[in-house]
Amino acid sequence: MGSAGSYGVGTGNSGAYVTEISEPARFEEEIRSLIQARFDAPPVSGGSFTALLGLSANQAVGLLHEPGAGEISAPAASSSPTGLGHPLGCSPTFPSNAALAERAASFPVFAAADSPASSSDGGPSPPLKAEPPDPDSSPPLPVPIDKPRRPAKRKDCEKQKAKGPGKKIKTAEEHTEGDQLPYVHVRARRGQATDSHSLAERARREKINARMKLLQELVPGCSKITGTALVLDEIINHVQSLQRQVEFLSMRLAAVNPRIDFGGLDSFLMAERGPLAASNGRGEAALDPVSWSSDPAPGTGLRTDLRPSQQSSTAWVYPYALIDHGTSLFGYGAANSVPLNSNQSKTDL
Amino acid sequence: MKRGPKARPGTKWRTAAQERVYGRRLLEALRATAALGPRAVKEAADSALAFTARGRSRWSRAILLSPRRKARLLLRTGSKIRRGRRRARAAEAGGRLRGRLRVLRRLVPGCRKLSAGSLLEEAADYVAALEMQVKAMRALADALSAAPAAAAAAEPGSRGGV
């Protein structure tokens, strides 16, 4: 079957696509299985495909075979049938692309979507995201019905477009990220079914990929890596190395800690200060030098060096509060060490 | 919980203000746990970090709410780091994404049962926070281990300027 051949190309394209996404095996299987499932329907009854387009079965099959030569370049602009031929298995309402939507609207098919839709629609139409009657209302696409989900789909679409060479290219190009039309319609890639499951799955994948991108930017050296798995590896290594560094640094700090005369700070810390917030404290700075200058204690150098922390000394009050909460914030024995320190400070002074 | 526009973790954790906030909390924590050993220091540092996160992220809540249990988890993470590496490689065979996601789940506190998407989100925040933590702790350790006099001059500068 000619269309099968073209879709074989489609699957081949999916291989290229896959290098971006990097789950080749799974995706290809999924795609293949979906293609199989889908191809059972169209030649016979027009099935879901025609339901989507709201075309009659014949028209649909005709369109199927028309662009079927594999290369679907310069789609919608060239001729309307070709334009329609793209979204093989797409929702009839084009995704947030006003120009295309206008073109689509010009098709009698959509204008009178009711009758052909009703004639060719079968069971498949309900699970579809957008129904044939919708495009009626819309070159300016209609209400943001479920807006939260749509943006995900839009990203979804964009990604698909980017990845699908020779698939609805025109719509892809026009479907820029600048588009902010509220109602987004999912456009399935050629070679992928559009039942709700795969759509949802694709949405999920897109969400995951978006997060991965964020992580990639965060972790140094990940932007060059292609492949979700490898990026994840890098991320894991990075997290582990960071945690290790924290451990080593905490060892260093623990070694340094006893030398710090933390206890000596208590006399200042106990003083009634302003609000507890740790981010406060510029006001406190005025108080601190005064109290320090009067303090003849040996660790002056250290105290001065901890001065900025004095601004958090107001928060010294708050460790007590936290300690009451069960030492949850400051770990073990905070309650024990605090009174100890204050005792020491008294002896020091 | 008042939630403004969600800042990206990369930008949210890297502000100087955030570092100052954490630095102060870290100092308090250190004071509280003086001479209790490196583990206490680490716990304190992590708790301070989680507190600075204001409990907005799952990992921070996990650290704050059950420090003992999670502390042990963190400790184990420390020791498991070498083992974790091997497990990560083994997981590669186990399934590219699944295995690694499992490892990541173990690494990020409190994310054991999260979905992949949320896990990645938490991981991003956690990585950013960790980087800040390392930076702050390193600065503090450098400042404090230098001679006190030198530290006196250096510290205000470093803490304020960081």
Side-chain angles (χ1 to χ4, degrees):
Chain A
M1 184 163 71
S3 54
S6 68
Y7 288 100
V9 174
T11 341
N13 285 340
S14 78
Y17 152 82
V18 151
T19 54
E20 285 205 35
I21 287 242
S22 87
E23 294 178 79
R26 218 184 296 174
F27 250 106
E28 288 190 24
E29 279 172 16
E30 179 191 14
I31 290 170
R32 282 205 193 95
S33 61
L34 292 174
I35 291 173
Q36 291 312 317
R38 210 162 55 74
F39 273 103
D40 295 339
V44 180
S45 63
S48 61
F49 171 63
T50 62
L52 288 177
L53 293 186
L55 298 174
S56 71
N58 293 338
Q59 273 179 312
V61 173
L63 288 170
L64 261 179
H65 290 272
E66 196 172 336
E71 200 63 27
I72 309 182
S73 51
S78 52
S79 61
S80 28
T82 330
L84 275 183
H86 286 188
L88 302 171
C90 245
S91 59
T93 54
F94 293 83
S96 55
N97 183 348
L100 192 60
E102 281 170 10
R103 260 183 264 114
S106 65
F107 305 149
V109 180
F110 287 144
D114 290 328
S115 33
S118 51
S119 63
S120 57
D121 265 343
S125 62
L128 298 173
K129 294 274 181 230
E131 284 142 20
D134 277 353
D136 283 339
S137 35
S138 67
L141 298 171
V143 189
I145 297 179
D146 33 354
K147 189 169 176 182
R149 228 164 138 220
R150 291 312 174 191
K153 300 289 180 168
R154 195 163 132 260
K155 261 191 296 183
D156 186 41
C157 290
E158 289 169 9
K159 288 212 169 197
Q160 291 163 357
K161 295 223 173 124
K163 289 161 193 157
K167 301 176 175 104
K168 313 180 266 298
I169 293 181
K170 195 63 179 201
T171 63
E173 288 163 357
E174 292 174 9
H175 184 203
T176 58
E177 302 191 22
D179 277 357
Q180 293 297 333
L181 289 175
Y183 193 73
V184 177
H185 304 273
V186 180
R187 162 78 54 93
R189 282 176 55 236
R190 187 179 182 191
Q192 277 193 346
T194 54
D195 53 296
S196 57
H197 290 294
S198 45
L199 280 171
E201 205 178 308
R202 231 176 309 138
R204 187 181 135 262
R205 289 252 159 241
E206 291 311 321
K207 175 175 151 194
I208 288 182
N209 287 334
R211 307 259 162 87
M212 287 284 303
K213 261 199 187 154
L214 219 85
L215 268 171
Q216 268 186 299
E217 291 166 26
L218 221 42
V219 177
C222 262
S223 17
K224 300 171 193 158
I225 304 183
T226 45
T228 323
L230 297 174
V231 168
L232 268 184
D233 258 349
E234 264 313 303
I235 292 169
I236 288 174
N237 283 343
H238 192 61
V239 169
Q240 285 173 338
S241 95
L242 284 176
Q243 285 175 336
R244 239 176 307 158
Q245 285 182 49
V246 168
E247 266 205 32
F248 289 147
L249 284 171
S250 70
M251 277 197 298
R252 274 183 68 189
L253 281 175
V256 157
N257 254 1
R259 289 174 35 199
I260 304 303
D261 189 7
F262 281 131
L265 297 168
D266 275 8
S267 54
F268 315 117
L269 303 175
M270 297 295 210
E272 283 290 317
R273 297 289 168 92
L276 291 181
S279 52
N280 70 352
R282 290 301 159 203
E284 283 29 77
L287 297 172
D288 299 343
V290 175
S291 37
W292 282 331
S293 56
S294 61
D295 188 28
T300 329
L302 280 173
R303 287 206 204 102
T304 347
D305 85 14
L306 289 170
R307 177 160 62 96
S309 73
Q310 283 313 300
Q311 287 145 8
S312 61
S313 67
T314 61
W316 184 248
V317 185
Y318 109 137
Y320 283 116
L322 288 174
I323 286 163
D324 290 342
H325 290 164
T327 73
S328 59
L329 187 62
F330 292 129
Y332 328 102
N336 299 334
S337 54
V338 162
L340 197 64
N341 285 344
S342 50
N343 289 339
Q344 283 177 349
S345 72
K346 297 209 169 60
T347 56
D348 282 347
L349 295 177
Chain B
M1 201 185 301
K2 283 173 281 187
R3 213 176 271 226
K6 228 175 177 182
R8 293 179 29 151
T11 46
K12 178 177 97 173
W13 283 101
R14 282 181 191 160
T15 59
Q18 196 77 311
E19 295 198 21
R20 272 197 299 272
V21 168
Y22 175 65
R24 284 190 205 109
R25 292 219 173 94
L26 180 62
L27 271 171
E28 299 154 17
L30 289 182
R31 255 182 258 128
T33 63
L36 280 181
R39 272 197 209 136
V41 171
K42 180 180 188 288
E43 294 314 320
D46 287 327
S47 309
L49 186 69
F51 205 83
T52 309
R54 287 177 222 260
R56 283 213 189 120
S57 43
R58 196 171 287 254
W59 61 265
S60 63
R61 284 194 292 270
I63 293 179
L64 284 177
L65 291 177
S66 56
R68 306 278 164 124
R69 195 168 79 84
K70 293 304 172 179
R72 264 180 260 127
L73 181 74
L74 288 170
L75 285 177
R76 254 188 249 128
T77 314
S79 62
K80 260 186 185 172
I81 280 174
R82 290 163 217 110
R83 269 180 272 154
R85 274 235 162 111
R86 268 176 240 133
R87 227 170 261 154
R89 270 183 237 122
E92 201 175 325
R96 310 176 187 198
L97 282 194
R98 303 285 175 211
R100 290 171 171 101
L101 282 182
R102 227 178 300 130
V103 176
L104 200 57
R105 279 203 182 93
R106 247 182 291 127
L107 286 180
V108 182
C111 294
R112 291 240 150 158
K113 300 197 179 162
L114 276 191
S115 67
S118 325
L119 174 65
L120 292 178
E121 203 178 328
E122 289 288 323
D125 199 59
Y126 188 56
V127 164
L130 274 184
E131 288 185 5
M132 191 209 71
Q133 182 181 27
V134 165
K135 198 167 163 189
M137 285 178 79
R138 183 170 288 138
L140 189 57
D142 288 341
L144 292 182
S145 46
E155 243 268 319
S158 69
R159 293 251 56 82
V162 160

